[in-house]
Amino acid sequence: MNDAASAPAAGTASAQPDHESLALTDPTTGNEHVPASDPARGLSAAQAAQLAAEGKANTLPDRSGRSAAQIVRDNVFTRINFMLGVLFIAVILTGSWINSAFGLLIIANSIIGIIQELRAKHTLDSLAVIGEAHPRVRREGEVREIAREEVVLGDIIVVAAGEQIVVDGVVTEADYLEVDESLLTGESDSIHKEPGAAMMSGSFVSSGSGSYRATRVGAEAYAAKLTSAASKFSLVDSQLQNGIDRILKAITWVLVPVGLLTIWGQIRVVGLDWAAIGAQWRDIVLSVTGALVPMIPEGLVLITSTAFALGVIRLGRLNVLVNELPAIEGLARVDTVAVDKTGTLTENTLRFAGLELVPGAASSSGSASGSASGGASSCSGSGSGPVCEQHDAAATPAARAQAIAREALAQLGAADPAPNSSMEAIQEALGAPAQPWKVAERQPFTSAKKWSGVSFANGQHWIMGAPDVLLDLAGTCGPAGAVAPTGAVVPHGNTAATSAITPAAAINAARERAAAIAATGQRVLLLARSDTPVTAANAPGNIEPLAFILLDQKIRPDASDTLRYFDSQGVAVKVISGDNAAAVGAVTTQLGVNVGTPVDARTIPEASFAETINENAVFGRVTPDQKRAMVAALRGAGHTVAMTGDGVNDVLALKDADLGIGMGSGTSATRSVAKIVLLDDKFASLPHVVGEGRRVVGNIERVARLFLTKTVYSAVLAIAVLLFALPYPFVPIHVTITGWFTIGIPAFLLSLPPNNDAARPGFVQRVMRFGFPAGLIVGVATFITYVMLYDGAASSAYATQVSTATLLTMIIASSWVLVVVARPYVWWKILLILLPLLGYGVIFLWPFTQRIFMLDSSNTGAMALGTLVGLSGAALIEALWWFLGLHFGEPARLWQSAEQRAAQRTQAELRKKATAERRKKVTAERRTAAAGAK
């Protein structure tokens, strides 16, 4: 990751890794040094401790990229501090201590930069510990969760779907284990893994479960070169930083030649006589320093880095982890947010709400359906407990079908070693079966196929998945779309049962019923039987739908306000989900947001895919590949896309988006590729995240205009003085006080407040087309006053009066730069632009401050001229501001609009809610901890 070309901004990190050093090496070879252990037991505690002591642990680079010592060094030894330091030493040698006051900038720049970066580092290190992957290792036969750094060579690491591979290794156990290595190879197809296969860090488990032995840890693992960057405080491809660098380069091109010419000009004024130079060298040094110091943009880099660091700290208070600094400015450019329904609009947890027989399911067992609508289960179960008793001959067909479905679900739950949220809800409600069936084969769930299944040793094959997907399969398989029941009550070979075939009409009725349930916002799955082993090439084969599984999902209470905020800010929201399109649409409708008709992603024609994605807002049944394609389609249309996600199926889309946002409760794979992680899963944090990005980018643009203007008018004045062979009108203390109230303090304050203006391209062009002409106006106005009043034969007292009047012109004109840059106004900005009037009024009128700062305002005529010319310069700057607004279409608003005020109020309310909820959570945790201690 490239450092800024100018000076180290907050969070700069090490250089981009050499691609040759990232070459994949086979972790299955050369492992003679790796401790061998039984995969079922793993290492002992003593072995692990010994290996760690020998330096064979998974030691990783600093989470925030730089150590405290590096931060101190990078903030002290900067190019700007070097230039100011040389000038400071030169002024000290003259004995004029008051004129060396600008040297305090070196100390202030360094201290402020160090403090803010250390605070940001502390925030990031603390949050990264929460957000990073915590691998599970097997030691002494027990599985325990540990920090990544505690993994040692030879550890047996247990993995399941969604978990990140944190070190390189060799597979020791595989239970239908499939690994996605797309982040390493670019290939999106999952790779089936058997014992002995290689496991590369940086990949993640897409389905199944297993374990592997760590053979490459620490610096030798691919993770140390690739995935550790996921928690670094970095500046990569930062448009804002690149723009600042371009501005600084332009300033450097002006500063160096003008500085050299200024030195020559002041020597020429004294005379090319070594005796004269020796007698007046102090005046030469003070004049040259007075000309050069204001050309140096000492605060621009500081305020830029401070703004980034404060962004990290502010977001950290909301439990938002910034993995990469460019993410903050990327937030300001976002105009489209793609969100997943589950985990974003709804909470991750599900609740089992019952079973509903598929129309015709009861009759397939020899009787009519339990109810005209399919009949919701009267035996839905709650909590954990024994499975409902097996049906008996006296039970109704509907009751028998219910019992079969419940028994099958319980058996599926018992057979799943790594249940997802849906299966966890089912397991919690139905409990464990009294006599688990022996598993013959398993097919884990994947977002691509939308179903999972188990083939049991008793010959039964059970499928669970998306109703619309499985019912489509049922409608195209077999004579009428179904096969004979193969449950416990209908043994193979029962010809009477075999003749009971579900009619095609029943399949259509089931489709309609599934759609009706989904339209209520309830999640619905289908339980079905199959005649084909679940791992067969043609699986799921011919299926017999049996029952709908109903799951309740809770809508996040803050989702509605958040969506409305984005709508008010002109940020489009695209809801992209793997769930049924009608269910997704129902959730958005419940949120009170009109986002149009839901689109089933399976029906989108390839030829009009991009057009459909850009014209619609709600999509269901989206596959992982389609999510990537959707992000690409949105970006292809010129949108800056932020993508939220929490599951394995979101990883590739998160990686491709301009800004990937992961959820703290999501898989470690999603957290590792996300640039920002919402550690507490609060969707309501997103407005703050976007607002923080806009604050940083928008306010730094204001600040850059101030500093560029100062550099330009200082250079213009120096060049003009050189051309007319005049002594420089100011000493260093004059330019120091000029910067206090027109640049330094205002710039710092303007970098802090909220800014809800969306970032626009052309940052450098906008800054330069204002800064250069505005600086030219201030410089020319200042020089006009100086030339009109200068008298080389006058006394030193008159020379001081001329300097004072000239300084007044500069201050009035440069203060008006602040007046226009601060727009649109709010009450505190009015106070800010009155600050120069108050501050300089005291400095120019109080005899004590006049004496300290070498001023004399007693010449009324000179001061009147200085005021008149300064006001003329202010009028020209005002005209420039209006001209740029009209000619380039830039917003020229004097006061903050009602929409902006409303957006800030909404943002403040959301922040207040988030803060209150966080305090409530912290209080509850403290009470729980205190109760546990007692």
Side-chain angles (χ1 to χ4, degrees):
M1 287 154 268
N2 298 325
D3 285 348
S6 55
T12 49
S14 56
Q16 283 281 13
D18 183 1
H19 288 288
E20 292 183 3
S21 68
L22 295 181
L24 297 176
T25 57
D26 187 358
T28 65
T29 61
N31 296 327
E32 296 79 9
H33 63 296
V34 177
S37 62
D38 181 1
R41 287 195 55 79
L43 298 174
S44 66
Q47 285 177 306
Q50 179 63 30
L51 288 165
E54 294 174 0
K56 297 179 180 179
N58 188 41
T59 304
L60 297 174
D62 194 287
R63 287 186 177 87
S64 52
R66 292 188 296 164
S67 65
Q70 288 175 313
I71 289 175
V72 172
R73 185 187 65 229
D74 291 345
N75 278 279
V76 173
F77 301 105
T78 68
R79 184 190 309 170
I80 288 178
N81 280 358
F82 173 76
M83 291 187 289
L84 290 175
V86 171
L87 295 174
F88 173 75
I89 293 173
V91 173
I92 288 294
L93 292 176
T94 68
S96 179
W97 289 92
I98 187 63
N99 279 304
S100 65
F102 69 89
L104 296 174
L105 292 172
I106 300 174
I107 300 174
N109 280 357
S110 300
I111 291 177
I112 294 174
I114 289 169
I115 290 174
Q116 295 297 356
E117 285 200 42
L118 288 177
R119 288 179 64 199
K121 172 182 167 61
H122 174 73
T123 300
L124 284 170
D125 285 347
S126 301
L127 294 178
V129 172
I130 302 171
E132 69 185 7
H134 287 77
R136 294 175 296 138
V137 300
R138 184 178 292 131
R139 291 180 182 171
E140 297 181 340
E142 294 183 357
V143 176
R144 63 190 70 174
E145 190 176 272
I146 62 174
R148 291 185 304 170
E149 293 88 343
E150 296 176 6
V151 174
V152 298
L153 197 67
D155 254 329
I156 301 299
I157 303 173
V158 180
V159 291
E163 294 185 349
Q164 186 183 9
I165 308 302
V166 295
V167 296
D168 302 345
V170 180
V171 177
T172 53
E173 300 168 292
D175 187 6
Y176 305 99
L177 180 64
E178 292 187 349
V179 174
D180 190 316
E181 297 181 350
S182 57
L183 299 180
L184 310 180
T185 65
E187 298 294 333
S188 59
D189 293 335
S190 296
I191 300 173
H192 183 71
K193 297 288 185 178
E194 294 288 349
M199 294 283 268
M200 300 302 301
S201 51
S203 57
F204 59 92
V205 179
S206 55
S207 64
S209 58
S211 67
Y212 69 100
R213 190 188 313 277
T215 61
R216 303 281 191 276
V217 298
E220 295 184 2
Y222 198 72
K225 306 169 186 176
L226 181 69
T227 60
S228 64
S231 293
K232 278 193 177 180
F233 192 19
S234 58
L235 272 174
V236 185
D237 191 27
S238 166
Q239 296 182 39
L240 182 62
Q241 189 63 40
N242 292 339
I244 294 293
D245 288 345
R246 289 176 60 188
I247 293 172
L248 290 175
K249 287 177 182 178
I251 290 174
T252 302
W253 279 105
V254 173
L255 180 64
V256 173
V258 171
L260 294 174
L261 291 173
T262 300
I263 295 173
W264 168 254
Q266 295 307 304
I267 292 176
R268 192 179 63 169
V269 169
V270 173
L272 300 178
D273 182 351
W274 286 108
I277 294 173
Q280 300 187 48
W281 71 270
R282 290 179 175 83
D283 294 333
I284 294 174
V285 168
L286 292 178
S287 295
V288 170
T289 303
L292 295 183
V293 166
M295 295 186 203
I296 300 172
E298 73 286 344
L300 181 56
V301 174
L302 171 66
I303 290 178
T304 301
S305 61
T306 299
F308 274 117
L310 284 175
V312 169
I313 294 167
R314 287 181 174 184
L315 292 176
R317 290 172 181 164
L318 296 172
N319 273 350
V320 177
L321 169 63
V322 179
N323 280 333
E324 293 185 16
L325 258 187
I328 289 184
E329 66 173 274
L331 297 167
R333 309 182 195 283
V334 165
D335 60 14
T336 304
V337 177
V339 301
D340 189 12
K341 176 181 70 69
T342 306
T344 304
L345 301 182
T346 63
E347 295 182 355
N348 275 319
T349 56
L350 298 171
R351 186 182 68 84
F352 179 72
L355 288 173
E356 180 176 313
L357 296 180
V358 171
S363 62
S364 71
S365 294
S367 184
S369 174
S371 69
S373 66
S377 172
S378 62
C379 184
S380 61
S382 61
S384 60
V387 178
C388 291
E389 294 296 327
Q390 288 280 359
H391 64 281
D392 54 46
T396 65
R400 288 191 295 173
Q402 286 274 1
I404 293 170
R406 294 177 64 81
E407 177 69 14
L409 274 180
Q411 296 293 348
L412 287 174
D416 193 341
N420 57 22
S421 58
S422 299
M423 183 56 76
E424 285 178 346
I426 294 170
Q427 290 175 336
E428 181 180 359
L430 301 184
Q435 296 180 339
W437 299 342
K438 184 177 180 181
V439 176
E441 295 174 317
R442 282 196 310 107
Q443 182 66 263
F445 175 86
T446 65
S447 296
K449 64 178 183 293
K450 308 290 186 189
W451 61 269
S452 63
V454 179
S455 292
F456 294 98
N458 60 10
Q460 299 187 48
H461 313 292
W462 286 94
I463 305 293
M464 186 175 76
D468 41 352
V469 173
L470 292 176
L471 287 171
D472 284 347
L473 294 173
T476 58
C477 300
V483 297
T486 56
V489 274
V490 188
H492 292 289
N494 188 325
T495 56
T498 305
S499 63
I501 299 176
T502 307
I507 295 298
N508 292 331
R511 287 197 188 97
E512 293 176 2
R513 181 56 188 157
I517 297 172
T520 66
Q522 199 170 40
R523 176 174 285 191
V524 56
L525 301 175
L526 179 68
L527 176 67
R529 290 179 282 204
S530 173
D531 65 346
T532 304
V534 295
T535 57
N538 64 332
N542 297 316
I543 66 169
E544 177 193 2
L546 181 60
F548 294 124
I549 305 162
L550 309 182
L551 300 168
D552 287 335
Q553 47 192 354
K554 183 180 179 182
I555 294 177
R556 291 188 179 276
D558 49 26
S560 181
D561 290 339
T562 304
L563 290 178
R564 276 194 289 269
Y565 169 80
F566 282 133
D567 183 62
S568 70
Q569 292 298 294
V571 177
V573 177
K574 305 282 185 179
V575 182
I576 299 175
S577 176
D579 284 356
N580 179 278
V584 181
V587 169
T588 58
T589 301
Q590 291 177 37
L591 290 171
V593 180
N594 182 17
V595 287
T597 304
V599 177
D600 190 322
R602 297 172 299 174
T603 65
I604 303 176
E606 186 174 349
S608 59
F609 185 85
E611 180 181 357
T612 303
I613 299 308
N614 283 281
E615 291 181 354
N616 294 275
V618 180
F619 303 90
R621 291 292 176 240
V622 181
T623 65
D625 287 342
Q626 282 183 314
K627 285 190 177 183
R628 293 188 74 184
M630 288 178 174
V631 169
L634 292 169
R635 296 185 67 193
H639 296 293
T640 301
V641 183
M643 170 85 188
T644 68
D646 61 352
V648 176
N649 57 322
D650 300 321
V651 170
L652 300 180
L654 286 177
K655 183 174 179 291
D656 291 347
D658 295 286
L659 182 67
I661 302 175
M663 296 293 178
S665 64
T667 63
S668 59
T670 57
R671 295 197 303 270
S672 72
V673 300
K675 293 182 176 68
I676 284 180
V677 181
L678 308 181
L679 293 174
D680 56 3
D681 295 347
K682 293 290 185 184
F683 183 46
S685 297
L686 282 184
H688 310 308
V689 171
V690 173
E692 195 60 39
R694 291 182 175 184
R695 181 190 68 81
V696 170
V697 174
N699 292 344
I700 287 179
E701 182 170 329
R702 297 178 191 274
V703 170
R705 292 184 181 193
L706 288 176
F707 280 102
L708 181 60
T709 299
K710 185 192 75 164
T711 296
V712 171
Y713 72 63
S714 301
V716 168
L717 182 60
I719 293 172
V721 167
L722 174 67
L723 293 176
F724 283 79
L726 298 175
Y728 197 74
F730 306 131
V731 290
I733 189 59
H734 291 159
V735 295
T736 298
I737 62 175
T738 301
W740 283 354
F741 302 115
T742 62
I743 304 291
I745 297 173
F748 180 74
L749 294 177
L750 285 173
S751 70
L752 299 177
N755 187 327
N756 285 306
D757 293 335
R760 297 170 292 150
F763 161 74
V764 175
Q765 290 84 350
R766 286 193 302 276
V767 170
M768 287 189 173
R769 67 175 172 241
F770 175 85
F772 276 105
L776 180 63
I777 291 170
V778 176
V780 170
T782 304
F783 185 70
I784 287 173
T785 300
Y786 182 45
V787 168
M788 293 179 69
L789 296 175
Y790 177 74
D791 183 357
S795 64
S796 60
Y798 180 74
T800 302
Q801 293 171 356
V802 171
S803 295
T804 303
T806 304
L807 185 63
L808 179 62
T809 300
M810 177 183 286
I811 287 174
I812 291 174
S814 60
S815 294
W816 205 260
V817 174
L818 171 63
V819 169
V820 299
V821 165
R823 294 169 181 165
Y825 299 137
V826 291
W827 67 269
W828 67 266
K829 287 184 179 180
I830 299 297
L831 296 179
L832 180 65
I833 60 180
L834 291 176
L835 180 64
L837 180 63
L838 176 63
Y840 293 124
V842 172
I843 290 174
F844 275 80
L845 299 178
W846 190 16
F848 175 73
T849 53
Q850 288 190 59
R851 186 170 59 255
I852 291 177
F853 298 127
M854 303 179 183
L855 300 173
D856 183 358
S857 60
S858 61
N859 190 326
T860 306
M863 296 298 288
L865 177 65
T867 302
L868 179 62
V869 177
L871 291 174
S872 300
L876 290 175
I877 289 171
E878 179 71 19
L880 172 67
W881 184 75
W882 284 102
F883 169 77
L884 292 176
L886 294 174
H887 185 72
F888 293 100
E890 297 179 5
R893 300 187 303 268
L894 289 176
W895 300 95
Q896 198 175 56
S897 66
E899 292 79 8
Q900 289 177 314
R901 292 194 297 271
Q904 287 189 359
R905 284 195 299 270
T906 301
Q907 198 171 13
E909 289 172 3
L910 289 171
R911 180 180 289 275
K912 185 178 179 180
K913 288 180 181 178
T915 303
E917 288 180 9
R918 190 182 178 201
R919 287 176 179 170
K920 185 177 179 181
K921 181 179 178 181
V922 170
T923 302
E925 290 175 350
R926 287 176 178 172
R927 288 176 179 173
T928 302
K934 293 179 180 179

